[in-house]
């Protein structure tokens, strides 16, 4: 019987436990709270730059969003280049567009350069349009990225049907910079290489208190360990707790639910995503899908706000899969799991430094595999040099969302409303 969170990504038997010894002697250059892609990418590049760093995670490496996600490596941010330049001004906007363009490279480059044992396919991501409005948005996006030399292409109805094998799309957009990975292997492999270059990594170490004495941070864990560091980076994202007052109230954590089918029979597998691309569709409550390990179909979408209590809580994912691929009727769904995604009101990641040497990064809008890999590298650059221009986004004050406690109720109602609108457009 599957349990109620049973990911398709499996920790390799050979994956080590990360239990670096915590010493209260001396002062580290940085303690990183959170061992997901953000924390580990920061640790890897900071250690490579010669800094002494220690990562502490409340649980096991990969238990957060980084080990649970869909493994779609998608460049770009929520906004297209022209909107970013309009919002941030020419200089920062252009730099941000370059950063956004590079986020998928950050993943595939580290896999190549550090020889990470991560299954991947780099054959692109398709944004599939199911309405004329979505098609127009795709054409606009295509124009903007093509003008910047990106390897992208607009797809017509016949092309998208051939590439996806799915029903119901009018066309779409192919971004060849993108690809798919096994996200749990990627996270564990980042931890392995970060540790190999000297970063300490410790699991089951929840940080419960941060205090500052004479310019040095004292980091206390639930188990009673005390570390000292000149900088602390909170890389806790959607799993942010009360460690830094107000931070959790700057994001709305949403649940993303995923399913994986049994391995598909060869003939059926050949008719679905033969090129191995990832897909997200254009619905308000979008679904995203790809082929996964052993030729399974993996599909995800927004889930209910309360933790799931039965397999029925994934029924919307199963319906979406059959709507796209009626031929999958009768193929068993073998895996169901979920994780938390951090949304910010402006749909951009937020970087904070509320006190000197105390940094926090939150908000990836469900697109953090590339983003957090690239952002971690930039954060390491900032830690190593103190040059704030290494960070692609401006540091901003921590601004809790007004009426945060009621926000999730509002989100649940909005999701239900959007689902209904999506159903009407079918
Ligand atoms: C179901 C799902 C599907 C997704 N699909 C995709 C996708 O296909 N493509 C994509 O780009 N993005 C996707 N995302 C988003 C992506 O997974 C995240 O943006 C990314 O993994 C965030 O990485 P992170 O390191 O910032 O956070 P996380 O990986 O969530 O790590 C945060 C860590 O902080 C730790 N922590 C929290 N509090 C403390 C504390 N007090 N002390 C110590 N440790 C603490 C937690 O244990 C956790 O391990 C998906 C997310 C989910 C949930």
């Amino acid at each position: 019987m599957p349990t109620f969170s049973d990911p398709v990504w499996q920790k390799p038997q050979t994956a080590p436990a990360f239990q670096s010894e915590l010493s209260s002697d001396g002062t580290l250059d940085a303690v990183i709270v959170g061992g997901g892609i953000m924390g580990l990418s920061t640790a890897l590049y900071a250690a490579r730059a010669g800094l002494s760093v220690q990562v502490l995670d409340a649980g096991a490496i990969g238990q957060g969003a980084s080990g649970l996600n869909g493994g779609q490596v998608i460049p770009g941010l929520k906004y297209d280049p022209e909107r970013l330049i309009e919002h941030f001004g020419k200089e920062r906007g252009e730099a941000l567009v370059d950063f956004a363009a590079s986020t998928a490279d950050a993943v595939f480059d580290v896999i190549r350069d550090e020889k990470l044992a991560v299954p991947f396919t780099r054959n692109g991501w398709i944004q599939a349009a199911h309405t004329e409005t979505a098609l127009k948005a795709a054409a606009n996006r295509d124009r903007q990225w093509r003008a910047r030399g990106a390897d992208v292409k607009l797809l017509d109805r016949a092309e998208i049907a051939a590439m996806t094998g799915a029903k119901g799309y009018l066309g779409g957009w192919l971004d060849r910079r993108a690809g798919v990975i096994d996200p749990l292997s990627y996270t564990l492999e980042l931890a392995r290489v970060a540790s190999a270059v000297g970063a300490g990594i410790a699991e089951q170490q929840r940080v419960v208190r941060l205090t500052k004495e004479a310019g040095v941070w004292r980091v206390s864990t639930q188990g009673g360990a005390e570390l000292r560091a000149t900088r602390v980076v909170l890389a806790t994202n959607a799993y942010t707790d009360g460690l830094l007052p107000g931070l959790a109230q700057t994001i709305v954590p949403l649940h993303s639910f995923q399913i994986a089918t049994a391995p598909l029979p060869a003939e059926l597998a050949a008719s679905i995503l033969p090129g191995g691309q990832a897909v997200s569709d254009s619905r308000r409550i979008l679904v995203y899908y790809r082929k996964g390990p052993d030729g399974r179909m993996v599909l995800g979408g927004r889930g209910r706000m309360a933790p799931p209590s039965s397999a029925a809580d994934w029924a919307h994912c199963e319906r979406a899969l059959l709507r796209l691929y009626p031929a999958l009727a009768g193929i068993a769904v073998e895996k169901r799991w979920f994780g938390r995604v951090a949304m910010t009101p402006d749909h951009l990641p937020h970087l904070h430094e509320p006190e000197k040497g105390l940094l926090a990064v939150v908000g990836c809008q469900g697109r953090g595999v590339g983003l957090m890999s690239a952002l971690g590298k930039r954060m390491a650059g900032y830690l190593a040099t103190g040059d704030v221009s290494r960070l692609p986004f401006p540091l901003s004050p921590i601004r809790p969302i007004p009426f945060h406690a009621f926000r999730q109720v509002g989100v649940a109602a909005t999701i239900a409303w959007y689902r209904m609108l999506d159903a009407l457009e079918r």
Side-chain angles (χ1 to χ4, degrees):
M1 272 296 282
T3 63
F4 288 132
S5 197
D6 180 26
V8 75
W9 323 116
Q10 297 296 329
K11 195 169 176 166
Q13 303 251 308
T14 52
F18 294 97
Q19 290 165 346
S20 65
E21 223 167 85
L22 304 181
S23 159
S24 52
D25 298 342
T27 301
L28 293 157
D29 291 315
V31 165
I32 297 165
V33 185
I37 295 172
M38 177 65 207
L40 294 167
S41 177
T42 305
L44 169 62
Y45 291 104
R48 280 236 176 272
L51 303 189
S52 55
V53 289
Q54 174 69 53
V55 177
L56 301 172
D57 197 285
I61 296 298
Q63 78 161 30
S66 297
L68 293 168
N69 63 64
Q72 302 200 1
V73 185
I74 306 169
L77 296 164
K78 162 97 180 162
Y79 302 112
D80 292 328
E82 288 170 3
R83 181 83 189 278
L84 287 173
I85 291 165
E86 191 184 303
H87 185 75
F88 287 96
K90 179 115 180 89
E91 199 176 330
R92 185 179 277 277
E94 287 288 0
L96 203 44
V97 172
D98 289 345
F99 171 77
S102 76
T103 58
D105 291 340
V107 174
F108 295 110
D109 288 355
V110 77
I111 290 176
R112 182 198 58 214
D113 296 346
E114 302 286 350
K115 301 185 178 44
L116 306 187
V118 177
F120 74 91
T121 307
R122 193 172 192 182
N123 238 352
W125 166 68
I126 297 169
Q127 199 165 29
H130 75 296
T131 61
E132 289 294 344
T133 312
L135 208 49
K136 271 196 202 125
N140 191 23
R141 179 158 301 137
D142 181 66
R143 174 185 61 73
Q144 294 183 38
W145 279 116
R146 230 165 354 97
R148 289 175 155 77
D151 191 2
V152 297
K153 179 184 187 311
L154 213 50
L155 303 172
D156 65 22
R157 189 192 285 258
E159 286 170 319
I160 199 166
M163 289 182 79
T164 62
K167 299 256 176 263
Y169 295 130
L170 305 184
W173 185 60
L174 171 65
D175 187 338
R176 292 196 191 88
R177 299 169 295 181
V180 293
I181 57 167
D182 177 316
L184 183 58
S185 302
Y186 178 63
T187 307
L188 291 167
E189 281 288 274
L190 277 181
R192 180 183 64 75
V193 293
S195 157
V197 294
I201 298 179
E203 299 178 310
Q204 314 301 338
Q205 297 288 346
R206 179 173 292 279
V207 176
V208 290
R209 202 167 50 255
L210 301 170
T211 46
K212 201 176 187 185
E213 285 164 20
V216 174
W217 289 97
R218 184 191 289 258
V219 180
S220 313
T221 71
Q222 202 163 35
E226 299 259 324
L227 298 180
R228 289 155 55 83
T230 48
R231 264 79 50 86
V232 176
V233 180
L234 300 191
T236 50
N237 220 328
Y239 293 84
T240 296
D241 55 18
L243 183 60
L244 178 59
L247 186 63
Q249 287 71 38
T250 66
I251 53 170
V252 177
L254 298 179
H255 282 162
S256 192
F257 280 38
Q258 288 185 87
I259 54 172
T261 64
L264 303 185
E267 203 180 315
L268 203 48
S271 68
I272 296 177
L273 293 170
Q277 286 86 6
V279 185
S280 308
D281 74 13
S282 57
R283 288 167 200 279
R284 293 173 189 81
I285 305 297
L286 65 79
V287 292
Y288 51 93
Y289 50 97
R290 57 172 285 189
K291 278 197 184 138
D294 314 321
R296 299 165 189 268
M297 271 306 283
V298 177
L299 177 141
R302 192 78 76 230
R304 62 186 225 152
M305 303 297 281
S309 57
S310 81
D313 291 326
W314 281 266
H316 60 293
C317 293
E318 296 183 35
R319 279 195 302 274
L321 188 63
L322 291 184
R323 169 170 49 74
L324 293 161
Y325 297 107
L328 293 183
I331 303 286
V333 168
E334 289 190 341
K335 301 275 182 184
R336 297 175 177 84
W337 72 103
F338 76 107
R340 251 188 247 165
V341 176
M343 311 298 282
T344 52
D346 61 5
H347 302 291
L348 289 166
H350 292 175
L351 275 58
H352 308 292
E353 191 170 10
E355 282 187 62
K356 193 163 167 37
L358 177 59
L359 289 139
V361 181
V362 288
C364 53
Q365 337 299 324
R367 220 191 250 196
V369 175
L371 179 63
M372 292 301 160
S373 300
L375 209 46
K377 191 172 182 179
R378 297 295 195 95
M379 178 61 78
Y382 179 46
L383 294 176
T385 62
D387 174 4
V388 75
S389 73
R390 297 291 184 102
L391 298 175
F393 298 92
L395 289 167
S396 59
I398 292 179
R399 281 198 202 95
I401 299 169
F403 306 108
H404 186 266
F406 301 105
R407 186 76 180 207
Q408 300 220 348
V409 179
V411 170
T414 309
I415 289 174
W417 171 244
Y418 280 178
R419 269 198 216 293
M420 198 192 79
L421 294 178
D422 282 341
L424 292 173
E425 282 173 1
R426 211 160 272 167

